[in-house]
Amino acid sequence: MSETVRSRATRSSNVATYQDTYRSSLTDPEGFWLGAAGVIDWERAPARALDGERAPLYRWFPDGRLNTCHNALDRHVEAGHGDRTALIHDSAYTGEQRSYTYAELRDLVARFAGVLREQGVGAGDRVVIYLPMVPEAAVAMLACARLGAVHSVVFGGFAPRELAARVDDARPKVLVTASCGIEPGRVVAYRPMVDEALRLAGHRPDRVIVLQREQLRADPVDGDLDWDEAMAAAEPAPCVPVDATDPLYILYTSGTTGRPKGVVRDNGGHAVALAWSMANVYDIGAGDVWWTASDVGWVVGHSYIVYAPLLVGATTVLYEGKPVGTPDAGAFWRVIAQHGVKALFTAPTALRAIKKVDPQGELLAGHDLSGFRTLFLAGERLDPETYHWSADILGVPVIDHWWQTETGWAVAANLRGLDPMPVKPGSPTVPVPGYDVRILDEQGAEVPPGTEGAICIRLPLPPGTLPTLWGDDDRYVSSYLSRFEGHYLTGDGGYRDEDGYLYVMGRIDDVINVAGHRLSTGSMEAVLAAHPAVAECAVIGVADSLKGQVPRGLVVLKAGAAYDPDELRAELVAAVRSEIGPVAAFKEVDVVAGLPKTRSGKILRKSMRSLAEGRDEPVPSTIEDPAVLDALREVLRPGAGEGPARPGPQD
């Protein structure tokens, strides 16, 4: 590549503190982000950082050209680091492990890019990727980036109708899939789901490429291309430079009805932001081993399994498995010890699942975690109990941070590579440089510290965030930028304390109105989670003819916890009334075997509210285990809590 700007130190070492860095990012975004862009190799280095000519549709590095795959792979090989380990694949389901050096991964990606090129895929064309957690998923993503094509990864195992909707919106030239995926206790055939999706879709890809897995091979379909055969015959393809503002990928948000919302990520801003975040947020650099325990189908997998660690020359662990549901609930500790993981990034759900099975942390025994430095958690609110449990058994900093599919990287964090701060349980710490976070009331005015409101981000959003929705600028503006002028609406509510720490209390629609009082269900969940018997919990707002809404609690107990149900209910009700106040009208709490969740670990509160209010809505296609929701029907159905009064305080 010409006009290349070679990598240099990625940390913001020219400033001494978080406050200096944050202030600089907001007062001089042009200088700040052009400086950060210096760690990226450019085919044409940008002279401008921000283009606001079409505000509120901002663009970053409009005159820059680069290739993301070159930055993730080729430049490390060219710099003499081809023998460094780039990716470790570890499957708890098959027992297989394999490592790939940067040179090996570069060669595989170049060859699969050649496969796609033979099928007519070029810059700007779309490729839908429907694969399980196998190395080929990362290879396919990077191969698209190599050609300047746009990938859209669909979580492996999504129902055919969900896949069809994404095919119709993205209109891919090629669809890449596997013969099967593996989930706890079963093998899932992918090819029949792909066939049904293509039957439902109006758009038909030119070619389907199938990776055959030995656990379940798929019968050939006319016109299919076998992954292994195609790779054997392919010629490697070189990197194709694209404009920094050209799209790298489309990632569809789950849970929408009608046309899905396709979050767009550009090439230039994405590369700059993720490289900056690895050094400054996570303290990870070249040669470090980094593990993100998520799935490539989610934004966390895009950003921090595939792109960010490779952009900085680290080793990334791609893990096929779950903390429980595998033979060993201590599998997480085994992976950290065996591969020398410096930092782990996962969701609080994973820790709660481990805690439920092993509340004393006995499964840590025999695993050498001496090289493990930090546990990062995100994806849902980290309750203080899970925070304290994780910190106690691991003996390392446990860092909550908060971001969204739309932002692509952290909005609020404790910046471990820049200026580590004291941890406050329940808070993801402070806004990350580049994010001008404001807490607004319903009229759009900023509220004082300690007052809850809508969490918004003053425009422009920093690099790496969504510039728009795929093919629908108007929907992007109406969905995110119209509620408060000049601000991006996150959809989450919360507050900031006197020290500037941000507290994210949950989605705005999880704020319930009890007799005219607006109350956060997240605050009530924090109280329930603090009880020593509770492994995880949820509070939902249920329609009530007298008060408008009333809270309803559901708790899952830790393994081995022995409590009388009525006594436990009384303790939990009393705790909420003590911490939140009688105004919460909290009277109902049930012990259940499990909570319904999406495959990414988020609790399906909306589905539980529907059951509690007598609405029999369709089961979301994103649900991990429909049987869990079925088991709650009898508990949550209207009138289920009526009958003899339960012990506990009354209004």
Side-chain angles (χ1 to χ4, degrees), residues 205-294:
D206 295 344
R207 187 75 68 191
V208 175
I209 301 175
V210 182
L211 172 70
Q212 295 283 2
R213 301 189 77 187
E214 292 305 316
Q215 289 76 20
L216 179 66
R217 299 183 68 84
D219 293 331
V221 175
D222 287 344
D224 280 2
L225 197 61
D226 180 87
W227 176 292
D228 291 333
E229 293 176 3
M231 287 286 277
E235 290 293 326
C239 293
V240 177
V242 296
D243 288 344
T245 55
D246 284 343
L248 171 67
Y249 69 75
I250 307 164
L251 182 59
Y252 290 94
T253 59
S254 59
T256 57
T257 56
R259 182 184 176 188
K261 283 196 293 190
V263 169
V264 174
R265 200 78 65 209
D266 66 10
N267 275 271
H270 173 260
V272 172
L274 291 194
W276 190 93
S277 73
M278 284 302 283
N280 291 282
V281 176
Y282 302 107
D283 193 25
I284 295 293
D288 290 333
V289 182
W290 164 263
W291 178 24
T292 298
S294 181

Side-chain angles (χ1 to χ4, degrees), residues 154-237:
V154 180
F155 178 81
F158 256 12
R161 190 168 299 279
E162 296 283 341
L163 177 57
R166 287 151 174 77
V167 167
D168 275 341
D169 197 64
R171 302 185 67 80
K173 184 163 284 189
V174 170
L175 189 152
V176 184
T177 189
S179 57
C180 69
I182 308 174
E183 295 185 0
R186 65 183 184 131
V187 174
V188 180
Y190 278 15
R191 190 59 220 244
M193 292 193 287
V194 170
D195 290 340
E196 176 63 10
L198 295 181
R199 186 188 69 79
L200 294 170
H203 174 80
R204 179 84 186 191
D206 295 344
R207 187 75 68 191
V208 175
I209 301 175
V210 182
L211 172 70
Q212 295 283 2
R213 301 189 77 187
E214 292 305 316
Q215 289 76 20
L216 179 66
R217 299 183 68 84
D219 293 331
V221 175
D222 287 344
D224 280 2
L225 197 61
D226 180 87
W227 176 292
D228 291 333
E229 293 176 3
M231 287 286 277
E235 290 293 326

Side-chain angles (χ1 to χ4, degrees), residues 450-476:
T451 303
E452 288 194 35
I455 303 175
C456 299
I457 304 168
R458 188 180 176 91
L459 298 178
L461 296 177
T465 56
L466 81 168
T468 189
L469 295 174
W470 177 252
D472 204 338
D473 290 347
D474 291 342
R475 189 181 186 190
Y476 169 54

Side-chain angles (χ1 to χ4, degrees), residues 9-209:
T10 54
R11 289 177 177 80
S12 296
S13 55
N14 59 316
V15 289
T17 67
Y18 160 77
Q19 292 293 348
D20 293 335
T21 308
Y22 186 68
R23 187 181 306 109
S24 173
S25 74
L26 299 188
T27 59
D28 182 22
E30 188 78 13
F32 183 88
W33 289 113
L34 279 178
V39 305
I40 298 300
D41 277 9
W42 299 88
E43 192 268 343
R44 184 177 67 226
R48 298 172 59 200
L50 179 63
D51 175 7
E53 291 179 4
R54 296 184 61 224
L57 302 177
Y58 293 91
R59 305 191 310 166
W60 287 95
F61 312 111
D63 55 344
R65 284 180 65 81
L66 76 163
N67 182 273
T68 296
C69 180
H70 167 85
N71 276 278
L73 298 175
D74 298 66
R75 68 167 173 163
H76 303 305
V77 178
E78 293 169 4
H81 305 303
D83 59 351
R84 181 188 296 156
T85 301
L87 185 147
I88 299 170
H89 180 241
D90 188 313
S91 175
Y93 299 141
T94 67
E96 298 172 345
Q97 296 180 28
R98 184 172 177 186
S99 296
Y100 301 80
T101 67
Y102 270 90
E104 289 170 338
L105 189 57
R106 187 270 316 267
D107 292 347
L108 285 172
V109 168
R111 192 169 292 278
F112 191 66
V115 172
L116 294 175
R117 185 180 58 182
E118 284 296 310
Q119 305 310 310
V121 175
D125 291 326
R126 276 79 63 205
V127 175
V128 164
I129 300 171
Y130 186 71
L131 287 170
M133 285 289 286
V134 291
E136 289 81 359
V139 168
M141 294 167 69
L142 290 160
C144 291
R146 192 174 192 84
L147 296 175
V150 182
H151 63 69
S152 183
V153 180
V154 180
F155 178 81
F158 256 12
R161 190 168 299 279
E162 296 283 341
L163 177 57
R166 287 151 174 77
V167 167
D168 275 341
D169 197 64
R171 302 185 67 80
K173 184 163 284 189
V174 170
L175 189 152
V176 184
T177 189
S179 57
C180 69
I182 308 174
E183 295 185 0
R186 65 183 184 131
V187 174
V188 180
Y190 278 15
R191 190 59 220 244
M193 292 193 287
V194 170
D195 290 340
E196 176 63 10
L198 295 181
R199 186 188 69 79
L200 294 170
H203 174 80
R204 179 84 186 191
D206 295 344
R207 187 75 68 191
V208 175
I209 301 175

